[in-house]
């Protein structure tokens, strides 16, 4: 059984978040959080927050330890864009699109092999 967490309308574009999400996909939760801690991007902090939330959900729902959890699915989808206007010379205007994203993390207990 898997536990998940989702962050909606993060304020960071999906393109920027996907670079970070791709680095932690398939890793153990502890290793992923340690890698995210030392990344300079503000998006790494947002992803770490969602990973911690998914871990807490797994600990409460499945009664499992954080050391046994692995990130099974993690993805960033596009959210609604804020549309703004920038004034240009001669009375013209240009559209500014401030993009946002949804981050979803699914963690599951890592299967142990016999003999360990």
């Amino acid at each position: 059984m898997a536990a998940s967490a989702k962050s909606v309308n993060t304020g960071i574009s999906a393109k920027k978040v996907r670079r970070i999400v791709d680095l932690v996909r398939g890793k153990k939760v502890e290793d992923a959080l340690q890698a995210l801690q030392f990344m300079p991007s503000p998006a790494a902090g947002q992803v770490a927050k969602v990973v911690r939330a998914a871990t807490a959900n797994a600990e409460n729902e499945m009664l499992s330890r954080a050391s046994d959890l692995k990130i099974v699915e993690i993805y960033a989808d596009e959210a609604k864009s804020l549309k703004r206007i920038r004034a240009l010379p001669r009375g013209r205007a240009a559209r500014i699109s401030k993009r946002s994203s949804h981050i979803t993390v699914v963690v599951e207990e890592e299967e142990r092999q016999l003999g360990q």
Side-chain angles (χ1 to χ4, degrees):
M1 186 170 153
S4 65
K6 189 171 185 177
S7 176
V8 294
N9 297 326
T10 58
I12 305 169
S13 72
K15 185 177 178 180
K16 291 177 185 175
V17 175
R18 280 188 195 119
R19 291 187 326 204
I20 290 156
V21 162
D22 290 341
L23 294 174
V24 297
R25 185 176 288 118
K27 287 189 176 183
K28 291 183 78 172
V29 169
E30 291 177 336
D31 297 339
L33 287 173
Q34 193 163 11
L36 289 168
Q37 182 180 0
F38 294 105
M39 288 185 191
S41 172
Q46 194 73 29
V47 172
K49 193 174 181 181
V50 183
V51 170
R52 276 191 231 104
T55 304
N57 290 343
E59 288 174 351
N60 288 331
E61 293 173 11
M62 301 186 312
L63 302 175
S64 60
R65 294 185 309 217
S67 58
D68 298 336
L69 295 174
K70 181 179 178 181
I71 298 174
V72 179
E73 279 183 55
I74 182 167
Y75 52 90
D77 296 327
E78 287 186 18
K80 214 165 194 183
S81 297
L82 292 174
K83 290 157 180 85
R84 299 290 181 257
I85 300 296
R86 176 171 172 79
L88 293 178
R90 297 183 175 179
R92 292 178 295 183
R95 174 167 263 168
I96 297 174
S97 180
K98 297 188 177 205
R99 300 180 188 277
S100 189
S101 62
H102 304 309
I103 304 170
T104 306
V105 178
V106 179
V107 294
E108 199 169 69
E109 208 162 5
E110 194 171 32
E111 297 175 16
R112 295 183 180 227
Q113 296 176 353
L114 295 174
Q116 287 186 353

